[in-house]
Amino acid sequence: MRRLIFAFLAGGLFGAGLFISGMTDTSKVQGWLDVFGNWDPTLAFVMGGAIVPMIAAWSLSSGRKPLNGGNFPRTTEPKLGPNLVLGSVMFGIGWGLAGLCPGPAVASLSYGGWPHWIFLCAMLVGFRTAPLVRSQLDSAVPAE
Amino acid sequence: MLNTIPADWIWGLIGGLLIGLGGAVFLLANGRVMGASGIIGGLIDGTGHKNAAERLSFLAGVLLLPILLNPFYQPFSTNVTDSVAVLVIAGILVGIGTRLANGCTSGHGVCGISRFSLRGIVSTVFYIMSGGLTVALFRHAMGVI
């Protein structure tokens, strides 16, 4: 139960932050990506603001255990494979086209109107398809 | 000095701090990385069914807080496209791409960069570059978005 309460609290802070920062406004996200047009640097402030508490959290996590038990995720090995690059490029294209990424796609559902629901459904189809795409790629390309 | 800084940047910074605080709570309390694509994707492809309740609680918070905050703000438009084709193609690309890369703006961007993860930094560079090229191409060259 404690885990669920803390998960809800974390999600609430995330949702409130996405709402307040303006990151559910697709024109602000596309404005950040629009370096050849009317560039909007807001996203850099959001990213910078979010990274500061996280740096503190990662450094607090070292040598300790999570409050509600279990273990902290182990340090990821610096594996830079084709899936990471290809996936990031695909994500960037979708992000640029609609101005939405997974967090804001959920945060905006209550007030963004029907296009946000279409985007969400398509994203869920993508999540469902991803393991298939990954196995196809893994058999076509030598392992990462 | 504060008068010269656009309000949007200050709200961005405050909102960003809240996002980072959410990530800090999720990490320090539950030992989990706050990545939206991983949290949702795991519910969809079955890899996260064993802690589905934790994922759903997180998502309930993401959905609910904007509903609670909305009355205190001028209702704002999300300026989203009404082209179904663009929404569907973009959604599918975001879905497949973030799962192939194992992360999105929150997982690789916020949580990855803050632990100086090479994967997080490389992913962020690539999705921002491809997003920038996409907007340049589809907005300025083709005028579609």
Side-chain angles (χ1 to χ4, degrees), chain A residues 67-79:
Chain A
L67 194 67
N68 297 326
N71 289 296
F72 285 116
R74 55 189 175 77
T75 312
T76 47
E77 336 152 37
K79 268 200 305 188

Side-chain angles (χ1 to χ4, degrees), chain A residues 2 19 61 77 96 101 119 121 131 144:
Chain A
R2 273 169 59 111
F19 180 82
S61 76
E77 336 152 37
C101 52
F119 179 88
C121 291
E144 279 188 33

Side-chain angles (χ1 to χ4, degrees), chain B residues 10-73:
Chain B
I10 297 169
W11 285 118
L13 193 63
I14 296 169
L17 286 167
L18 290 175
I19 293 169
L21 220 55
V25 167
F26 208 38
L27 180 72
L28 294 174
N30 290 10
R32 300 286 312 275
V33 174
M34 188 186 76
S37 57
I39 292 169
I40 311 168
L43 288 170
I44 301 299
D45 65 19
T47 54
H49 279 182
K50 62 178 188 304
N51 48 19
E54 185 182 28
R55 292 165 189 264
L56 289 169
S57 299
F58 179 88
L59 292 172
V62 180
L63 192 63
L64 193 67
L65 259 287
I67 297 177
L68 298 178
L69 288 172
N70 218 358
F72 301 101
Y73 278 76

Side-chain angles (χ1 to χ4, degrees), chain A residues 8 15 27-28 36-37 50 54 86 91 122-123:
Chain A
F8 180 79
S27 70
K28 290 202 78 63
F36 301 108
M54 278 310 297
L86 181 66
F91 165 43
M123 186 176 80

Side-chain angles (χ1 to χ4, degrees), chain A residues 34-89:
Chain A
D34 195 1
V35 280
F36 301 108
N38 192 11
W39 187 60
D40 182 343
T42 306
L43 191 140
F45 287 87
V46 181
M47 202 54 127
I51 284 172
V52 171
M54 278 310 297
I55 291 178
W58 283 118
S59 70
L60 275 171
S61 76
S62 110
R64 291 191 176 82
K65 293 269 183 192
L67 194 67
N68 297 326
N71 289 296
F72 285 116
R74 55 189 175 77
T75 312
T76 47
E77 336 152 37
K79 268 200 305 188
L80 303 173
N83 282 356
L84 182 80
V85 174
L86 181 66
S88 301
V89 168

